[in-house]
Amino acid sequence: IQLFSGVVDLVYLPVQQYREDGRIVKGLQRGANSFTHSTAVSLLQLTTKLFTSIQCVAEVTYDLVSPAQIRRDSLQHPADMRQGLVNAYQVVTSDITSRASSIQHAAVFNHATKGIASAIGGVIRELPPTLLLPFITLPKVITQLSTGAQNHLKPSTIKEREEKYRTQNS
């Protein structure tokens, strides 16, 4: 819908500006600016939805191959690009730290109970979830960055999201 309104503005704003004061170039600038803005926001929304879907599929696959449940992040939606970068950094560091801890725990626990061969087996059992981790982490990072960019370009998105969830929870 936003993309369509941008296309309409690309045509309508130059005509409107020409009717007002005869300056078609000013209208072309306004129309191109509106089209670019709405296209960028629409593309960011589409990217966020796509990578959220990829993340969900990867998490289900992870749950199938891993004995442990994946830890769900409870990050707030970023208000701007800076906060999106901070959230993305937190996602990467927490996922890598969590995965390294799981591998270490498997090696130490199995070594203490059954020896070195069991420790190696424990580490090998942790390989499938470790190989899936980038397919979970990358969509989380891209989602945080694209949501931050979207909210940076269109701050009213934050208010719309708050209103949406406020009315659903009431």
Side-chain angles (χ1 to χ4, degrees), residues 29-97:
Q29 288 174 337
R30 289 178 52 211
N33 186 27
S34 174
F35 174 73
T36 304
H37 185 267
S38 64
T39 302
V41 170
S42 296
L43 184 63
L44 288 169
Q45 287 175 340
L46 183 64
T47 301
T48 301
K49 288 179 183 181
L50 173 70
F51 280 98
T52 301
S53 300
I54 291 171
Q55 176 187 343
C56 289
V57 169
E59 286 178 353
V60 168
T61 306
Y62 182 92
D63 289 341
L64 291 173
V65 300
S66 176
Q69 291 290 321
I70 190 165
R71 186 178 54 78
R72 308 282 189 241
D73 292 322
S74 59
L75 296 171
Q76 292 182 336
H77 289 284
D80 58 6
M81 193 64 194
R82 182 198 58 78
Q83 192 175 4
L85 283 169
V86 169
N87 286 359
Y89 177 77
Q90 288 175 348
V91 164
V92 170
T93 56
S94 69
D95 283 0
I96 290 173
T97 303

Side-chain angles (χ1 to χ4, degrees), residues 62 84 136 141 147 161:
Y62 182 92
I136 296 170
V141 167
T147 303
R161 184 179 293 119

Side-chain angles (χ1 to χ4, degrees), residues 106-124:
V108 170
F109 177 75
N110 289 326
H111 182 268
T113 57
K114 298 179 184 171
I116 190 76
S118 181
I120 293 171
V123 170
I124 291 173

